Amino acid sequence: MTKIIKRVLLCPPDYFQIRYQINPWMKNGQVNKTRAKNQWLNLVNLCQKLSIRTETITPQASLPDMVFAADQGLIKDNSVILARFHHQQRRPETKIYQDWFRKQGFQLLRLPASLCFEGGDALIVNNNIFIGHGFRTSPQSPRAIEKLAKSPVIDLGLINPHFYHLDTCLFILNPKTAFYYPPAFDQTSSDKLAKFFSKLIPLTKKEAFSLTANSLNTDHQVIIQRGAPIFAQKLAQLGYRVHQVNVSEFFRSGGGIHCLTLTTQTN
Ligand code: ARG
């Protein structure tokens, strides 16, 4: 069945800026606020054009990374496994998002208090959940998530600090096809990916550092970062329609299209 995204949650970048450094991308200078706002609005408009319902949460002045909605948890059907952020700077985001989830009627699920987990480390295909760990998510979390979600979890070890979340180095196009950046994974994890996906396509270093993996696909259409011609061409060859946006201001914080959009409902 083709994956169709019905709803996404986003957070306006009103207070988005670089106020601390919790990943290597965050050393690349300050955000241009107007540009960030325009890039974000273009992304929202494109989602709407592709028939995705967009919802927004109210940003908080003290939480510059709140804009990365995808990190807040893993949504499966009507439940959400809430994030527990590794860095203390992002922990207060959880309470605000949790209230939103509750108001929307999601069942709230929590990992044991000793475990960290961030939504950027979770990708779902059919009933399978891929969980990255090593930087933000604890190595014991995949098994705990498997219990909470009652779905098979494939855990993947991340080893490159620039690719600290799974959604920065793995893009799942469909149950057979995925793109990945090999140096981001340990060998066992690359082997697991090759076993699962009959078409596992490596991204070049240049593509990986343009956060190409951080794309969004719905209904045979893919929203990608502008300036990734090889990726765009491969998607087209595979029968997918490509839409390009520019979210370069968010790269300064280590985030892209996928990080900015939390999928709250699929078909
Ligand atoms: N500055 C944020 C952080 O380091 C960026 C998060 C990007 N999110 C993602 N899903 N990759 O936490």
Side-chain angles (χ1 to χ4, degrees), residues 34-43 246-250:
T34 315
R35 205 180 293 148
K37 186 80 192 206
N38 288 335
Q39 292 181 345
W40 183 87
L41 284 171
N42 282 341
L43 174 63
N246 185 13
V247 293
S248 58
E249 281 309 303
F250 298 91

Side-chain angles (χ1 to χ4, degrees), residues 22-23 26 65 68 70-71 90 118 120 136 164-165 167-168 214 253-255 259:
I22 55 172
N23 72 52
M26 298 177 96
D65 272 341
F68 298 111
D71 293 333
R90 294 201 64 184
E118 301 188 8
R136 303 296 182 86
Y164 57 93
H165 272 152
D167 71 355
T168 62
N214 209 256
S253 191
C259 316

Side-chain angles (χ1 to χ4, degrees), residues 32-76:
N32 177 319
K33 282 226 160 193
T34 315
R35 205 180 293 148
K37 186 80 192 206
N38 288 335
Q39 292 181 345
W40 183 87
L41 284 171
N42 282 341
L43 174 63
V44 173
N45 287 338
L46 182 55
C47 287
Q48 291 169 350
K49 225 175 82 191
L50 300 184
S51 304
I52 302 174
R53 192 172 128 203
T54 57
E55 291 167 307
T56 51
I57 189 165
T58 311
Q60 305 286 314
S62 58
L63 299 172
D65 272 341
M66 204 187 143
V67 70
F68 298 111
D71 293 333
Q72 309 302 327
L74 165 62
I75 293 188
K76 212 178 149 262

